[in-house]
Amino acid sequence: MIERKAADPVKEEGEKKKENLNLLTSTQIIIREALEKLGYPEQVYELLKEPMRMLTVRIPVRMDDGNVKIFTGYRAQHNDAVGPTKGGVRFHPDVTEDEVKALSIWMSLKSGIVDLPYGGGKGGIVCNPSELSFRELERLSRGYVRAISQIVGPTKDIPAPDVATNSQIMAWMMDEYSHIREFDSPGFITGKPLVLGGSHGRETATAKGVTIVIREAAKLKGIPLEGARVVIQGFGNAGSYLAKFMYDAGAKVIGISDAYGALYDEEGLDIDYLLERRDSFGTVTRLFKDTITNKELLELDCDILVPAAIENQITAENAPNIKAKIIVEAANGPTTLEATKILTKRGILIVPDVLASSGGVTVSYFEWVQNNQGYYWSEEEVEEKLEKVMVRSFHNVYNTAQQRGVDMRLAAYMVGVRKMAEAARFRGWV
Ligand code: GLU
């Protein structure tokens, strides 16, 4: 199944660039604050404010019509003090260097929060996958691996799926890497199909992780999941599975959206039906006449709001109108810094992206461990381990927030950055 951006904003290039700059700068602001609270000196911030390594590549691809088209790709490696870097590759027309940098920093934080032996990495290719044929997509995926092969590997930097990439793309990338190295290298990449060394539970891992933190957050807020009104922005990999898990848990999913619009039903949407009608890009709303906008969706009266699409969706502009009691960020970077302040002041609990969406990389780690040992676990084993990791991480961040009197986002950054800073210190880097 292909993940896809599911919110509507089609932005002017300049505007998008500005926002991505904000993504990176707002991440840097919180990293600095977290390091200051933990008592680390300035040079630690200087080390961690940008990726250690950033590669830009040009990828020539022979298109089906015989012409060659050149694509731009990136791979950012934020910090490898703890271990190899790890993180997904996104295929999207709006990918920029700063976005990939920010995303790689968030991967470091996620690994720190769930305590994996990794630093953060991220990759992206500027392309519109829905305009590429199957074979063009394969040639682009293989071309990207050839272009970045010198800096990646099972003990260096391990890619994975992200927006609009899936297990088929991981399979091509793994095959290409194995050809280059001349040995089978399943541990080079995670999110592979099961028959190629993928892990049970990886496909649903992000949504499972989000479900677990929703359950824990709802308990703290005294909201029973049975009958809770849930709104989910995005019907891609995270959003669609999450809708299913919430529906199965007895919650009322009253709103969902995709790139073209949103659906709303006060009585709860029929999620099984929507999943059946959804196409491989996560598009479903175009089949309906009665839709609402993404803006209206976010402001619906509900108990739990889950942005599971793209960045910068909850801003200073709409934050005062949000009615949810809990916001759980399944997407990377959906809430701006100013919006976080407004919502926190209003007593709305925000479970930040770097915690809420860390189920994906957690099961990726399980996949890599299974590849390294050549011994594979059952679905139950994976789920049991994921459950433990998510519950422990949620309460660790929540308790840090309570003890230090900070919001959950800053607490998550404090937890996420600590191991990396310590590792860099022990290595004698800072
Ligand atoms: N792309 C996912 C994320 O943003 C998963 C990364 C991975 O599995 O390494 O967390």
Side-chain angles (χ1 to χ4, degrees), residues 61-69 136 139:
V61 176
R62 175 80 55 193
M63 306 302 277
D64 291 346
D65 65 7
N67 287 320
V68 172
K69 199 170 163 190
E136 287 168 346
R139 289 192 285 270

Side-chain angles (χ1 to χ4, degrees), residues 86-89 107 110 122 158-163 190 202 206 332 357-358 360-362 364:
K86 173 100 192 76
V89 183
M107 286 312 303
K110 289 187 201 188
K122 198 79 174 200
I158 305 127
D162 197 72
V163 174
T190 59
R202 176 61 188 87
T206 308
N332 288 310
S357 71
S358 57
V361 69
T362 301
S364 272

Side-chain angles (χ1 to χ4, degrees), residues 388-406:
K388 274 195 193 136
V389 169
M390 295 307 300
V391 170
R392 185 192 63 213
S393 307
F394 176 86
H395 289 285
N396 191 13
V397 171
Y398 185 75
N399 293 339
T400 303
Q402 295 300 105
Q403 283 156 13
R404 306 295 293 254
V406 298

Side-chain angles (χ1 to χ4, degrees), residues 26 56 75 119 137 147 165 182 233 279 287 292-293 304 320 329 334 358 362 364 385 417:
S26 52
T56 303
R75 186 73 194 169
L137 208 51
T165 52
E182 296 185 334
Q233 185 198 32
D279 72 13
L287 301 171
I292 58 170
T293 64
I304 301 160
E329 297 177 338
S358 57
T362 301
S364 272
K385 287 183 167 71
V417 86

